[in-house]
Amino acid sequence: MGKSSRPTLTERRAEELHMTIARKAAEIFVADGDTSATVERIADEVGMSTRTFYRHFPVKEDVVRPLFRHSSRMVMQALRNAPEDGDLVETLVAAWTSELDAGPNLSPFGRQFLTLVASSPQYRLRWMEVDDELCDAMAEFLRERIGEGEGAMESVLPGFLIVQATRQVFMYWITSEAGEDIADLLREAFRMVLDGVRRKRPAQPTPG
Protein backbone atom coordinates (compact mmCIF):
# COMPACT_ATOMS: atom_id res chain seq x y z
CA MET A 1 0.00 0.00 0.00
CA GLY A 2 1.11 3.55 -0.57
CA LYS A 3 2.92 5.24 2.29
CA SER A 4 1.81 8.60 3.62
CA SER A 5 4.34 11.28 4.50
CA ARG A 6 5.50 11.46 8.12
CA PRO A 7 3.60 14.03 10.18
CA THR A 8 5.56 17.00 11.44
CA LEU A 9 6.22 17.56 15.15
CA THR A 10 3.52 20.25 15.18
CA GLU A 11 1.05 17.86 13.57
CA ARG A 12 1.90 15.11 16.04
CA ARG A 13 1.42 17.45 19.00
CA ALA A 14 -1.91 18.65 17.61
CA GLU A 15 -3.01 15.05 17.13
CA GLU A 16 -2.04 14.16 20.69
CA LEU A 17 -4.01 17.14 22.00
CA HIS A 18 -7.02 16.16 19.91
CA MET A 19 -6.88 12.64 21.33
CA THR A 20 -6.62 13.99 24.89
CA ILE A 21 -9.72 16.14 24.39
CA ALA A 22 -11.59 13.31 22.64
CA ARG A 23 -10.82 10.81 25.39
CA LYS A 24 -11.91 13.21 28.10
CA ALA A 25 -15.16 13.91 26.25
CA ALA A 26 -15.77 10.16 25.91
CA GLU A 27 -15.16 9.68 29.64
CA ILE A 28 -17.68 12.41 30.46
CA PHE A 29 -20.28 11.04 28.03
CA VAL A 30 -20.00 7.51 29.45
CA ALA A 31 -20.08 8.74 33.06
CA ASP A 32 -23.21 10.80 32.32
CA GLY A 33 -24.86 8.14 30.17
CA ASP A 34 -25.54 10.68 27.42
CA THR A 35 -23.75 13.18 25.16
CA SER A 36 -25.29 16.35 26.57
CA ALA A 37 -22.13 17.64 28.30
CA THR A 38 -21.38 21.19 27.21
CA VAL A 39 -18.24 22.37 25.44
CA GLU A 40 -17.53 24.51 28.49
CA ARG A 41 -17.51 21.45 30.74
CA ILE A 42 -15.31 19.39 28.40
CA ALA A 43 -12.86 22.26 27.96
CA ASP A 44 -12.69 22.86 31.70
CA GLU A 45 -11.96 19.17 32.35
CA VAL A 46 -9.08 19.29 29.85
CA GLY A 47 -7.79 22.57 31.26
CA MET A 48 -8.40 24.83 28.29
CA SER A 49 -10.70 27.67 27.37
CA THR A 50 -13.84 27.21 25.34
CA ARG A 51 -12.30 29.40 22.66
CA THR A 52 -9.31 27.04 22.41
CA PHE A 53 -11.64 24.04 22.15
CA TYR A 54 -13.40 25.59 19.18
CA ARG A 55 -10.07 26.22 17.46
CA HIS A 56 -9.60 22.45 17.37
CA PHE A 57 -13.22 21.36 16.94
CA PRO A 58 -15.56 23.78 15.12
CA VAL A 59 -18.60 22.01 16.61
CA LYS A 60 -18.85 19.84 19.70
CA GLU A 61 -19.79 16.67 17.84
CA ASP A 62 -16.46 16.71 15.99
CA VAL A 63 -14.76 15.76 19.27
CA VAL A 64 -15.31 12.02 18.63
CA ARG A 65 -13.55 12.02 15.25
CA PRO A 66 -10.00 11.56 16.64
CA LEU A 67 -11.06 8.34 18.39
CA PHE A 68 -12.44 6.80 15.21
CA ARG A 69 -9.52 8.05 13.10
CA HIS A 70 -7.07 6.51 15.55
CA SER A 71 -8.88 3.17 15.31
CA SER A 72 -8.87 3.38 11.50
CA ARG A 73 -5.13 4.02 11.42
CA MET A 74 -4.47 1.11 13.76
CA VAL A 75 -6.59 -1.20 11.60
CA MET A 76 -4.71 -0.23 8.45
CA GLN A 77 -1.36 -0.60 10.23
CA ALA A 78 -2.34 -4.11 11.30
CA LEU A 79 -3.25 -4.92 7.69
CA ARG A 80 0.05 -3.57 6.40
CA ASN A 81 1.93 -5.76 8.87
CA ALA A 82 -0.11 -8.90 8.17
CA PRO A 83 1.53 -11.79 6.28
CA GLU A 84 0.71 -11.63 2.59
CA ASP A 85 -0.04 -15.35 2.42
CA GLY A 86 -2.48 -15.37 5.32
CA ASP A 87 -6.20 -16.04 4.96
CA LEU A 88 -7.76 -12.73 3.92
CA VAL A 89 -10.89 -13.04 6.05
CA GLU A 90 -8.87 -13.92 9.15
CA THR A 91 -6.46 -11.07 8.39
CA LEU A 92 -9.34 -8.60 8.30
CA VAL A 93 -10.91 -10.00 11.48
CA ALA A 94 -7.59 -9.83 13.32
CA ALA A 95 -7.01 -6.23 12.20
CA TRP A 96 -10.36 -5.00 13.48
CA THR A 97 -10.35 -6.97 16.72
CA SER A 98 -6.76 -5.91 17.49
CA GLU A 99 -8.12 -2.45 18.33
CA LEU A 100 -10.69 -3.71 20.80
CA ASP A 101 -9.72 -3.06 24.39
CA ALA A 102 -10.90 -6.28 26.03
CA GLY A 103 -9.39 -9.06 23.98
CA PRO A 104 -11.76 -10.09 21.20
CA ASN A 105 -14.51 -7.75 22.43
CA LEU A 106 -15.05 -4.23 23.68
CA SER A 107 -14.72 -3.27 27.32
CA PRO A 108 -17.95 -2.11 29.02
CA PHE A 109 -16.66 1.46 28.64
CA GLY A 110 -16.03 1.07 24.91
CA ARG A 111 -19.37 -0.59 24.33
CA GLN A 112 -21.25 2.13 26.19
CA PHE A 113 -19.41 4.84 24.29
CA LEU A 114 -20.26 3.28 20.91
CA THR A 115 -23.85 2.83 22.04
CA LEU A 116 -24.09 6.54 22.81
CA VAL A 117 -22.53 7.44 19.46
CA ALA A 118 -24.81 5.09 17.56
CA SER A 119 -27.92 6.47 19.28
CA SER A 120 -27.15 10.10 18.37
CA PRO A 121 -27.57 11.07 14.68
CA GLN A 122 -24.95 13.83 14.84
CA TYR A 123 -22.31 11.69 16.53
CA ARG A 124 -23.13 8.69 14.35
CA LEU A 125 -22.55 10.91 11.31
CA ARG A 126 -18.97 11.57 12.50
CA TRP A 127 -18.41 7.80 12.78
CA MET A 128 -19.71 7.36 9.23
CA GLU A 129 -17.53 10.19 7.90
CA VAL A 130 -14.38 8.66 9.33
CA ASP A 131 -15.39 5.28 7.91
CA ASP A 132 -15.72 6.92 4.50
CA GLU A 133 -12.15 8.20 4.85
CA LEU A 134 -11.01 4.60 5.39
CA CYS A 135 -12.62 3.25 2.21
CA ASP A 136 -9.88 4.30 -0.24
CA ALA A 137 -7.13 2.73 1.87
CA MET A 138 -9.17 -0.46 2.24
CA ALA A 139 -9.81 -0.58 -1.51
CA GLU A 140 -6.06 -0.28 -2.15
CA PHE A 141 -5.34 -3.08 0.32
CA LEU A 142 -7.89 -5.37 -1.33
CA ARG A 143 -6.57 -4.63 -4.82
CA GLU A 144 -3.16 -5.80 -3.65
CA ARG A 145 -4.63 -8.99 -2.17
CA ILE A 146 -7.29 -10.01 -4.68
CA GLY A 147 -6.45 -8.04 -7.82
CA GLU A 148 -7.95 -5.19 -9.78
CA GLY A 149 -11.58 -5.08 -10.80
CA GLU A 150 -12.65 -4.80 -14.43
CA GLY A 151 -13.67 -1.17 -14.05
CA ALA A 152 -13.27 1.81 -11.76
CA MET A 153 -16.28 0.90 -9.64
CA GLU A 154 -15.16 -2.69 -9.15
CA SER A 155 -11.78 -1.42 -7.96
CA VAL A 156 -13.21 0.72 -5.16
CA LEU A 157 -16.51 -0.94 -4.25
CA PRO A 158 -15.04 -3.92 -2.31
CA GLY A 159 -13.21 -1.59 0.07
CA PHE A 160 -16.38 0.41 0.63
CA LEU A 161 -18.39 -2.76 1.26
CA ILE A 162 -15.87 -4.13 3.79
CA VAL A 163 -15.82 -0.87 5.75
CA GLN A 164 -19.60 -0.51 5.71
CA ALA A 165 -20.08 -4.16 6.65
CA THR A 166 -17.80 -3.61 9.63
CA ARG A 167 -19.81 -0.66 10.89
CA GLN A 168 -23.08 -2.55 10.45
CA VAL A 169 -21.66 -5.47 12.43
CA PHE A 170 -20.64 -3.15 15.26
CA MET A 171 -24.03 -1.39 15.15
CA TYR A 172 -25.80 -4.74 15.40
CA TRP A 173 -23.46 -6.03 18.08
CA ILE A 174 -23.72 -3.07 20.44
CA THR A 175 -27.53 -3.02 20.23
CA SER A 176 -28.01 -6.79 20.40
CA GLU A 177 -28.46 -8.68 23.64
CA ALA A 178 -27.67 -12.04 22.05
CA GLY A 179 -24.09 -12.01 23.35
CA GLU A 180 -22.62 -13.06 20.00
CA ASP A 181 -18.87 -12.92 19.50
CA ILE A 182 -17.84 -9.85 17.51
CA ALA A 183 -15.09 -11.78 15.72
CA ASP A 184 -17.58 -14.38 14.48
CA LEU A 185 -19.93 -11.65 13.25
CA LEU A 186 -17.10 -9.89 11.42
CA ARG A 187 -15.91 -13.18 9.93
CA GLU A 188 -19.37 -13.93 8.54
CA ALA A 189 -19.76 -10.42 7.09
CA PHE A 190 -16.32 -10.41 5.46
CA ARG A 191 -16.92 -13.81 3.89
CA MET A 192 -20.20 -12.62 2.40
CA VAL A 193 -18.54 -9.57 0.83
CA LEU A 194 -15.39 -11.32 -0.39
CA ASP A 195 -17.22 -14.33 -1.80
CA GLY A 196 -19.14 -11.97 -4.06
CA VAL A 197 -16.02 -10.06 -5.05
CA ARG A 198 -14.02 -13.19 -5.86
CA ARG A 199 -16.71 -14.47 -8.17
CA LYS A 200 -16.20 -11.34 -10.24
CA ARG A 201 -12.40 -11.46 -10.35
CA PRO A 202 -9.86 -13.92 -11.75
CA ALA A 203 -7.90 -15.94 -9.20
CA GLN A 204 -4.67 -14.33 -8.06
CA PRO A 205 -1.41 -16.29 -8.39
CA THR A 206 -0.14 -17.77 -5.14
CA PRO A 207 2.78 -15.70 -3.70
CA GLY A 208 6.20 -17.32 -3.81
Side-chain angles (χ1 to χ4, degrees):
M1 283 184 287
K3 295 182 179 179
S4 59
S5 58
R6 285 179 64 88
T8 65
L9 177 60
T10 299
E11 290 170 336
R12 290 199 302 273
R13 286 176 174 170
E15 183 177 323
E16 289 170 1
L17 177 58
H18 291 168
M19 283 295 293
T20 297
I21 301 169
R23 285 174 174 141
K24 179 55 66 175
E27 289 174 8
I28 294 172
F29 294 162
V30 169
D32 291 352
D34 59 49
T35 58
S36 64
T38 64
V39 167
E40 290 77 10
R41 181 179 168 196
I42 297 170
D44 184 64
E45 289 283 343
V46 178
M48 64 172 52
S49 67
T50 302
R51 182 176 180 179
T52 301
F53 178 98
Y54 280 121
R55 282 211 302 266
H56 295 282
F57 301 104
V59 295
K60 187 186 83 169
E61 291 79 7
D62 288 344
V63 76
V64 301
R65 276 188 174 134
L67 299 172
F68 290 112
R69 283 188 174 133
H70 175 76
S71 292
S72 293
R73 283 195 297 271
M74 294 300 100
V75 166
M76 291 313 303
Q77 187 61 49
L79 292 176
R80 292 187 187 99
N81 294 337
E84 293 186 7
D85 58 352
D87 179 84
L88 182 54
V89 168
E90 295 304 321
T91 296
L92 291 168
V93 170
W96 255 282
T97 56
S98 69
E99 262 304 280
L100 301 182
D101 43 15
N105 285 299
L106 281 170
S107 67
F109 176 92
R111 187 165 189 160
Q112 187 173 352
F113 171 69
L114 281 185
T115 300
L116 292 173
V117 169
S119 63
S120 167
Q122 289 302 314
Y123 286 97
R124 187 169 65 247
L125 177 62
R126 272 62 181 185
W127 184 0
M128 294 171 63
E129 288 171 346
V130 173
D131 275 356
D132 287 345
E133 296 169 4
L134 179 60
C135 288
D136 286 343
M138 182 57 61
E140 182 183 351
F141 170 78
L142 292 178
R143 285 195 295 270
E144 293 176 357
R145 291 301 179 96
I146 60 178
E148 295 279 351
E150 294 181 359
M153 187 178 73
E154 285 188 23
S155 292
V156 299
L157 188 57
F160 177 88
L161 292 174
I162 286 291
V163 172
Q164 300 309 312
T166 302
R167 186 174 69 241
Q168 291 305 313
V169 165
F170 273 91
M171 288 281 195
Y172 166 78
W173 184 76
I174 62 178
T175 58
S176 171
E177 297 181 358
E180 296 171 87
D181 188 282
I182 188 69
D184 288 340
L185 293 172
L186 288 169
R187 191 172 288 113
E188 180 180 0
F190 294 153
R191 282 176 179 156
M192 291 172 62
V193 172
L194 293 174
D195 283 350
V197 171
R198 284 168 171 147
R199 283 197 292 269
K200 292 283 291 180
R201 297 188 180 181
Q204 288 293 97
T206 303

